[in-house]
């Protein structure tokens, strides 16, 4: 009955946010708004953050941020639990994500991700990966933040996969730092497996299930950055992963 009650007010809110909020955001995501500053950041970045904060609140997430995201050009590297991860991170700090190409077709998330500067990668395609690396390098060299999930895919929420070292190469070439970010759903990360995709669960099925979940805390921990000039990319990947693991294990 409680799940049904939550659907009764959250479903209309999602529809309203998609029907009115999405066109509003799409209208403001253009080269001209990038020149306007709101609360110290470009208007197009601010509006993506606003849209994301509203969406995660509709899904019952109460955001808590720990640490401070680095300004300007930085490679943010986070653990990957849910399709909501991108929206959760955008609610805290703008960054252009590297994401799988399928996301572009997802409702709600796809249109915003595309206009918010997401770099799409076709899995298993080396040509696509080569292009992604060049785009990442170009953005970092031009002072823009990039967000990646070095595990390469979402996991069941009970562990953190090995970080692919190659994704750190643009940070090394540009000389920009990598800042690990730990995402914890629920008190002390108790809802990681609830928010993650269940076995054989598709995007829409997960969206509907999560929409009916009780309200809970979502913690975003911006951790000590790694100076990429000091280590090779495998060492950088392992350091970032270990710092996230340490936070996830903390009670």
């Amino acid at each position: 009955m409680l799940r049904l009650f939550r659907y009764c007010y959250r479903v209309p809110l999602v529809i309203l946010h998609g029907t009115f909020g999405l066109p509003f955001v799409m209208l403001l995501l253009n080269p001209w708004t990038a020149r306007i500053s709101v609360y110290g950041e470009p208007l197009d970045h601010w509006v993506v953050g606003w849209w994301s904060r509203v969406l995660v609140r509709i899904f019952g997430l109460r955001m808590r941020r720990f640490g401070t995201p680095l300004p300007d050009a930085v490679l943010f590297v986070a653990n990957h639990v849910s399709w909501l991860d991108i929206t959760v991170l955008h609610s805290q700090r703008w960054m252009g994500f590297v994401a799988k190409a399928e996301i572009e077709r997802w409702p709600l998330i796809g249109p915003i991700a595309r206009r918010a500067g997401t770099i799409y990668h076709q899995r298993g395609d080396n040509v696509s990966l080569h292009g992604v690396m060049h785009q990442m390098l170009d953005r970092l060299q031009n002072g823009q933040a990039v967000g990646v999930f070095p595990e390469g895919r979402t996991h069941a929420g009970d562990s953190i996969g090995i970080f692919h070292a190659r994704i750190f190469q643009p940070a090394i070439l540009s000389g920009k730092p990598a800042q690990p970010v730990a995402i914890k759903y629920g008190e002390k990360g108790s809802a990681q497996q609830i928010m993650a995709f269940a076995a054989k669960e598709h995007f829409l099925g997960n969206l509907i299930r999560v929409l009916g979940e009780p309200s809970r805390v979502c913690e975003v921990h911006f951790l000590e950055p790694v100076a990429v000039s000091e280590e090779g990319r495998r060492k950088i990947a392992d350091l970032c992963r270990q710092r996230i693991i340490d936070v996830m294990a903390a009670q």
Side-chain angles (χ1 to χ4, degrees):
M1 290 299 296
L2 288 176
R3 176 173 288 269
L4 179 61
F5 172 73
R6 288 189 286 269
Y7 282 137
C8 286
Y9 70 88
R10 287 181 181 172
V11 169
L13 288 175
V14 168
I15 293 173
L16 285 172
H17 196 47
T19 303
F20 297 101
L22 189 57
F24 172 72
V25 172
M26 299 293 278
L27 179 66
L28 291 180
L29 290 179
N30 60 69
W32 292 277
T33 56
R35 305 173 185 175
I36 303 172
S37 179
V38 176
Y39 300 116
E41 64 178 328
L43 177 58
D44 56 346
H45 292 184
W46 180 86
V47 78
V48 169
W50 168 82
W51 190 88
S52 299
R53 286 188 289 273
V54 173
L55 185 63
V56 295
R57 195 66 189 90
I58 291 173
F59 274 80
L61 298 180
R62 303 188 304 277
M63 302 304 303
R64 291 181 186 169
R65 186 169 82 186
F66 300 83
T68 304
L70 293 179
D72 305 319
V74 54
L75 181 68
F76 291 104
V77 295
N79 57 310
H80 203 7
V81 182
S82 165
W83 60 270
L84 270 168
D85 295 345
I86 290 179
T87 307
V88 163
L89 291 174
H90 264 157
S91 74
Q92 303 301 307
R93 209 283 203 186
W94 184 91
M95 57 192 80
F97 281 94
V98 175
K100 61 182 182 179
E102 294 94 315
I103 289 179
E104 190 171 15
R105 300 190 296 271
W106 287 0
L108 284 178
I109 302 301
I112 287 291
R114 181 174 61 253
R115 293 290 290 274
T118 298
I119 302 170
Y120 288 111
H121 169 51
Q122 191 67 48
R123 286 180 176 176
D125 187 334
N126 286 331
V127 175
S128 172
L129 179 59
H130 187 70
V132 166
M133 302 288 273
H134 273 285
Q135 290 184 67
M136 290 175 62
L137 177 59
D138 182 66
R139 293 191 185 187
L140 289 170
Q141 289 177 331
N142 284 283
Q144 300 179 51
V146 176
V148 297
F149 300 107
E151 294 165 278
R153 63 181 180 85
T154 57
H155 285 260
D158 56 350
S159 64
I160 295 177
I162 298 299
F163 279 14
H164 297 290
R166 188 175 179 182
I167 202 70
F168 291 84
Q169 189 64 25
I172 293 174
L173 293 175
S174 64
K176 304 302 181 182
Q179 184 171 23
V181 186
I183 303 174
K184 300 178 73 169
Y185 292 100
E187 293 287 351
K188 302 178 181 179
S190 59
Q192 298 293 96
Q193 295 184 60
I194 295 173
M195 301 300 290
F197 284 94
K200 299 182 179 180
E201 187 177 47
H202 52 75
F203 167 72
L204 187 58
N206 181 272
L207 183 153
I208 293 171
R209 179 173 62 79
V210 171
L211 189 61
E213 284 292 313
S215 296
R216 55 174 47 95
V217 167
C218 177
E219 299 180 1
V220 181
H221 296 255
F222 289 92
L223 308 176
E224 181 184 353
V226 177
V228 297
S229 60
E230 300 176 2
E231 307 285 356
R233 66 188 191 188
R234 179 71 265 165
K235 183 65 173 180
I236 296 168
D238 291 342
L239 280 172
C240 288
R241 179 173 181 265
Q242 189 57 52
R243 287 177 185 177
I244 292 174
I245 289 175
D246 290 345
V247 169
M248 298 305 298
Q251 297 298 317

